[in-house]
Amino acid sequence: MLKELEALTQIVAREKLARKRAEQLLAEKTRELHVKTSQLEAAADGFQAVSSLLSEIMDVAPDMIITCDENFRIISGNAMAQRHLRQNEQALRKRTVDDFLPGLSAELRRRRPGPFFIENRRAARHNGDSFPVDIRGYVGPIGDRIRYLIFFHDISQRVNAEIKRKQTESQMDEARRLEAIGALSAGIAHEVNTPIQFVGDNLDYLEEGLINICNSYQHYDALKVAVAKLGYCPEEVAKVDEFNQSVNLTNLIEEIGAALRESRDGVKQVRDIVILMKEFALFIKQLHVFLLILAI
């Protein structure tokens, strides 16, 4: 009986010791589990923080950012892409990149993995509008799959500035051409005005001389008639009559007068043209200044 009691006591002692060791092991495992749980919670918090930061970076990025799968179906689009393409993210996920950049998938399929750059393409919106963009991106494995990371940079301001620059250069070229035309017109007007002034003055002198010749001829004709009536110098009077009849002096004087009047009219027309050329040169100069102001 005593032996049985001692054996039972030993068994109970061993069980207590085993239970104590089990409790110690459980406490250690509990502490380890608590540490692991804390580490997992910290890692989850860190992942959430990184995920939130990445999402915020994507939303404030100045460029449009789109990620696509290997079939160019859109996986995500940041806030700038949604705003420019006028599609929310849910709507974007139903589209492919070719819906906004026709032919881009075929072009990217020909490229080797790595970064790429495509300059000055037209991106189309859902409503049919389009705008110019430069495209940068990456083709290759992201995670365990092939992905396309595409950055669109709106270059509307740069394109408009280039158009404005070309317009300004065109206006400057036009202004320079107008300046040359104006200078040429002013020079021609000056060069024509000087000799035409001489011609006009000479015509005035010839007209006055013709009037004096006509008056002298009338006096001479009266004298000839008086001499003929008196019978003086009949041979000389006959020669004068013969000459006057041969040249038809009366008609000649009238024709010379008419030619002088027509010449004076022509000189007046040339002077009017010179005045118009001077006015045109002044107008061109004013237009040249105006175009320069517009170009600035």
Side-chain angles (χ1 to χ4, degrees):
M1 186 67 181
L2 182 58
K3 290 183 179 179
E4 293 177 354
L5 182 59
E6 288 178 355
L8 182 61
T9 300
Q10 291 176 356
I11 291 172
V12 170
R14 286 196 299 271
E15 289 180 353
K16 286 182 177 180
L17 181 60
R19 185 168 56 250
K20 186 176 180 179
R21 289 178 177 175
E23 290 176 352
Q24 290 176 349
L25 182 60
L26 179 61
E28 290 176 0
K29 294 299 181 180
T30 301
R31 285 193 297 271
E32 290 178 3
L33 181 60
H34 178 71
V35 171
K36 294 294 185 182
T37 302
S38 298
Q39 291 175 347
L40 287 174
E41 290 177 351
D45 292 340
F47 176 78
Q48 182 64 35
V50 171
S51 178
S52 298
L53 179 61
L54 181 59
S55 177
E56 186 174 348
I57 290 173
M58 291 283 285
D59 286 338
V60 300
D63 287 340
M64 296 161 275
I65 304 174
I66 286 177
T67 56
C68 302
D69 63 15
E70 65 275 11
N71 296 316
F72 294 94
R73 289 190 297 267
I74 295 175
I75 299 173
S76 66
N78 70 339
M80 187 63 71
Q82 296 174 38
R83 183 160 52 251
H84 272 71
L85 299 178
R86 298 175 184 172
Q87 297 269 283
N88 59 34
E89 188 164 12
Q90 184 178 3
L92 284 176
R93 289 175 179 172
K94 299 177 182 179
R95 314 293 293 277
T96 68
V97 71
D98 285 332
D99 291 331
F100 304 104
L101 284 161
L104 181 62
S105 63
E107 188 170 350
L108 292 182
R109 288 185 192 279
R110 295 191 296 267
R111 292 180 177 269
R112 295 179 178 179
F116 63 86
F117 175 67
I118 301 173
E119 189 176 12
N120 198 2
R121 292 284 295 272
R122 300 294 299 186
R125 294 189 176 96
H126 180 59
N127 61 0
D129 293 341
S130 65
F131 56 98
V133 294
D134 281 345
I135 306 171
R136 297 179 184 274
Y138 169 80
V139 179
I142 300 177
D144 58 347
R145 296 185 179 182
I146 297 296
R147 293 286 186 264
Y148 295 88
L149 182 61
I150 304 172
F151 295 80
F152 305 85
H153 179 66
D154 188 346
I155 59 172
S156 298
Q157 291 184 350
R158 190 183 80 193
V159 171
N160 292 335
E162 181 65 16
I163 293 174
K164 177 64 177 176
R165 183 188 66 80
K166 291 182 179 180
Q167 290 176 343
T168 300
E169 289 181 353
S170 177
Q171 290 174 346
M172 293 293 291
D173 291 341
E174 185 67 21
R176 285 190 286 268
R177 284 194 293 269
L178 289 175
E179 181 183 19
I181 293 173
L184 178 63
S185 300
I188 293 175
H190 175 73
E191 293 299 326
V192 171
N193 188 60
T194 300
I196 206 65
Q197 189 70 39
F198 294 152
V199 173
D201 293 342
N202 289 336
L203 288 175
D204 291 339
Y205 173 75
L206 290 175
E207 188 174 18
E208 292 176 1
L210 182 62
I211 292 173
N212 291 331
I213 291 173
C214 289
N215 292 333
S216 176
Y217 173 74
Q218 290 174 356
H219 292 307
Y220 171 76
D221 192 55
L223 176 62
K224 179 182 73 69
V225 171
V227 169
K229 286 181 178 180
L230 294 174
Y232 296 145
C233 306
E235 293 181 359
E236 285 74 9
V237 170
K239 289 181 180 180
V240 170
D241 287 339
E242 183 180 358
F243 176 77
N244 288 345
Q245 290 176 2
S246 66
V247 299
N248 198 354
L249 189 59
T250 302
N251 290 338
L252 181 60
I253 292 174
E254 291 179 355
E255 290 174 357
I256 292 175
L260 288 174
R261 287 190 295 272
E262 290 177 359
S263 298
R264 288 175 61 86
D265 291 339
V267 169
K268 183 178 181 302
Q269 291 178 9
V270 174
R271 285 175 176 170
D272 292 341
I273 292 173
V274 169
I275 292 173
L276 289 175
M277 291 184 68
K278 288 181 178 179
E279 292 176 350
F280 176 72
L282 179 61
F283 169 75
I284 291 298
K285 182 178 180 180
Q286 294 172 343
L287 183 59
H288 170 248
V289 174
F290 177 72
L291 288 176
L292 288 178
I293 293 173
L294 285 182
I296 297 174

